[in-house]
Amino acid sequence: MRTTLNILVFGSGAREHAIADSVLKSPLIDKLYLAQAGAFDLGEVIEFSDYEDLAKKCAGLKIDMAIFGPEEPLCQGIVEIFKSHNIPCIGVNKYFSQLESSKLFGKKFMEKYGIKTAKYEVINNLSTVQPFNRSTVVIKADGLCGGKGVVIANNEAFAQKTIEEFLAGKFGENSKTVLLEEFLQGEELSLMSLWDGKTLLHFAPSKDFKRLNKSPSAPNTGGMGAFCPVKLNSFQQKKLDEYKNKLKKALETEKADFVGFIYSGLIMAQKEGVWDWHVLEYNVRLGDPEAQATLAHLKTDFLEVLKAALEQNLDKIKLEYNEDISACLTLACEGYPKTPRDGKKITLPEETAENRDIKVFYAGVEKIDGELYSKGGRVLSLCTTSQDPFWDLKNFAKEIEMENKYFRTDLEVR
Ligand code: AMP
Ligand code: GLY
């Protein structure tokens, strides 16, 4: 591999903005290219008609490493297409992308390797559904539904209605198979890991605030904030180490042939009297907003880590972190997640974010004549590292001018 690298970052959200920002800080970067880019103009944008076209253009531009942010291209097999053009990729192959694109595939993987998870049954036909005798159940569409395919139902009528809607094709083919899952209660944790085919390197655990507000029955969102690291007690750490070993064994046994991220959405729950981490979901990418907080916390050169992964040298990497805690806070539009209103002008405080060590990543932003406008429910992802990061971020968010802005004021590191 060359000593300085041409990098492609694929994707348009705050996570990809943060990845681009991180790799640009590295002395290993030669040139940054962006595909399906958002409004963040940190590199040269490559326009393309399809993934084959993009791969050809990247080969022509001598891209040394393609980093894929979102799951869709991975699930559509973009890694296989890039590899056929000899472009090294950070991204899961199509087969393992099913860990995210099929909840059932994920469950079978967990069963095979003794990884703890919620009990479940598969439903293809409403007439086969037995009465639940449980106050709360979780209904999950098997396929990708843009974060909308999980419903927690606390009465049977609502559960039946949801299953009916899913089976009738609310999310097309992706909800024609439904999982009815046992409801687990406990603290959630996000564990992001990088696999190089031999070594599974784990980033410091992080926490994502998924609910729209502090009420436990508030709607689930794409993430209203996150922080990293999460301090674990010795029991939680011991159990996490056991889980990490199981995941590594599973990837080794499968001879998983990719270089990419695996995200484990975990919950510390008690089942049959035993407390342990249970997997709620797998993703095959970095979490958003966890990536923003984790990359801010990371002191080690992120591009050096990715380069080591492509060279199958992750065993030589020891991750180092800043002493303080990193967090990010989502600034959304009122109405999110159901009916966000776009097109609001955003004016950032006069005292620039950089002077206050705050990064402003674009989640859903459009730039028109140099001005920023909201475009999407989650608009900005504000990120900092300090002793009380949510305090700093809330104050900054208050100063941002945007009609109908909404952010959580109750978030804190805990
Ligand atoms: P998922 O996309 O599967 O992670 O689900 C999104 C969110 O729904 C999770 O982060 C949890 O907050 C919640 N959730 C999913 N599965 C369960 C479960 N079995 N028990 C309790 N909460 C769950
Ligand atoms: N923050 C969870 C996710 O990215 O799916």
Side-chain angles (χ1 to χ4, degrees):
M1 191 165 262
R2 297 191 308 136
T3 43
T4 59
L5 311 176
N6 287 334
I7 304 291
L8 174 80
V9 173
F10 185 112
S12 63
R15 169 185 49 210
E16 290 76 18
H17 193 171
I19 293 173
D21 178 72
S22 276
V23 299
L24 270 181
K25 282 191 302 211
S26 171
L28 294 173
I29 186 108
D30 187 352
K31 187 161 179 189
L32 179 65
Y33 293 90
L34 305 171
Q36 209 178 70
F40 57 94
D41 35 20
L42 296 180
E44 186 177 320
V45 175
I46 308 176
E47 303 290 349
F48 61 96
S49 53
D50 56 25
Y51 296 155
E52 180 63 34
D53 180 41
L54 178 63
K56 271 194 202 139
K57 286 178 173 155
C58 288
L61 291 165
K62 303 210 175 343
I63 300 275
D64 300 288
M65 179 194 298
I67 309 168
F68 301 101
E71 65 279 11
E72 289 89 357
L74 300 169
C75 298
Q76 288 159 10
I78 200 166
V79 164
E80 283 73 4
I81 297 174
F82 269 58
K83 283 204 168 156
S84 73
H85 290 272
N86 297 318
I87 303 166
C89 295
I90 303 291
V92 166
N93 62 22
K94 191 170 180 189
Y95 178 77
F96 280 101
S97 73
Q98 293 178 90
L99 283 172
E100 178 161 359
S101 68
S102 166
K103 302 271 184 202
L104 193 52
F105 181 95
K107 286 287 192 192
K108 289 192 172 150
F109 177 86
M110 293 179 236
E111 273 163 8
K112 188 167 170 195
Y113 293 103
I115 291 172
K116 293 190 176 170
T117 184
K119 275 198 220 119
Y120 72 102
E121 58 189 278
V122 183
I123 301 170
N124 291 305
N125 184 334
L126 197 60
S127 63
T128 63
V129 181
Q130 302 292 320
F132 314 137
N133 296 326
R134 278 170 275 163
S135 56
T136 308
V137 287
V138 183
I139 295 146
K140 296 187 176 180
D142 181 52
L144 292 179
C145 303
K148 298 192 175 82
V150 176
V151 174
I152 296 174
N154 42 25
N155 68 69
E156 187 148 348
F158 178 52
Q160 291 279 359
K161 184 170 159 269
T162 306
I163 296 171
E164 223 166 281
E165 283 172 4
F166 277 19
L167 290 178
K170 182 167 183 191
F171 299 103
E173 285 303 311
N174 291 342
S175 64
K176 291 258 162 104
T177 297
V178 169
L179 269 63
L180 181 64
E181 228 179 72
E182 161 192 29
F183 176 68
L184 298 179
Q185 262 174 309
E187 276 294 315
E188 290 186 40
L189 187 77
S190 306
L191 179 70
M192 300 191 289
S193 318
L194 178 60
W195 171 248
D196 70 357
K198 205 175 73 185
T199 302
L200 187 62
L201 181 78
H202 304 279
F203 293 90
S206 51
K207 186 169 175 63
D208 170 16
F209 296 94
K210 287 205 170 84
R211 305 252 170 222
L212 185 62
N213 57 50
K214 67 179 173 194
S215 157
S217 57
N220 248 331
T221 69
M224 297 306 295
F227 69 88
C228 176
V230 177
K231 286 218 169 67
L232 301 178
N233 63 34
S234 57
F235 174 77
Q236 292 167 326
Q237 187 60 55
K238 176 171 158 271
K239 290 290 163 189
L240 191 65
D241 290 342
E242 286 172 15
Y243 168 71
K244 287 175 179 176
N245 286 336
K246 278 189 191 172
L247 182 59
K248 179 167 190 249
K249 264 249 147 57
L251 294 171
E252 275 169 359
T253 310
E254 294 280 319
K255 298 191 172 46
D257 183 19
F258 65 81
V259 178
F261 298 106
I262 301 273
Y263 167 114
S264 309
L266 301 169
I267 188 166
M268 177 52 79
Q270 190 185 33
K271 278 182 62 171
E272 283 127 30
V274 181
W275 286 95
D276 209 338
W277 293 111
H278 293 73
V279 174
L280 289 179
E281 66 164 337
Y282 279 122
N283 293 324
V284 293
R285 51 174 171 78
L286 291 177
D288 186 343
E290 292 96 323
Q292 294 89 298
T294 304
L295 291 177
H297 186 48
L298 188 67
K299 215 156 79 177
T300 310
D301 179 344
F302 185 51
L303 188 50
E304 190 186 315
V305 177
L306 300 180
K307 182 169 182 275
L310 287 178
E311 293 168 340
Q312 248 190 12
N313 277 335
L314 276 185
D315 55 337
K316 302 196 178 72
I317 294 282
K318 174 139 183 23
L319 296 178
E320 288 184 39
Y321 295 98
N322 292 307
E323 268 176 34
D324 285 338
I325 300 162
S326 302
C328 74
L329 178 68
T330 301
L331 189 109
C333 285
E334 251 175 40
Y336 174 72
K338 276 204 168 136
T339 47
R341 277 153 282 166
D342 282 349
K344 305 296 175 200
K345 186 159 180 242
I346 308 162
T347 311
L348 296 174
E350 278 218 345
E351 190 191 358
T352 60
E354 286 88 57
N355 286 348
R356 290 151 73 158
D357 281 331
I358 291 176
K359 298 252 181 188
V360 178
F361 296 123
Y362 300 164
V365 167
E366 191 172 26
K367 239 184 201 169
I368 304 172
D369 297 333
E371 307 273 16
L372 304 181
Y373 293 86
S374 65
K375 192 179 183 215
R378 289 190 297 171
V379 181
L380 300 175
S381 182
L382 311 172
C383 198
T384 198
T385 302
S386 74
Q387 286 182 1
D388 193 353
F390 282 120
W391 169 260
D392 299 335
L393 294 174
K394 278 178 246 178
N395 287 334
F396 189 75
K398 279 182 201 154
E399 291 173 45
I400 294 176
E401 285 173 36
M402 186 181 93
E403 204 186 313
N404 294 331
K405 73 181 175 192
Y406 171 75
F407 58 94
R408 276 183 67 168
T409 51
D410 62 297
L411 299 189
E412 48 190 44
V413 173
R414 55 183 160 79

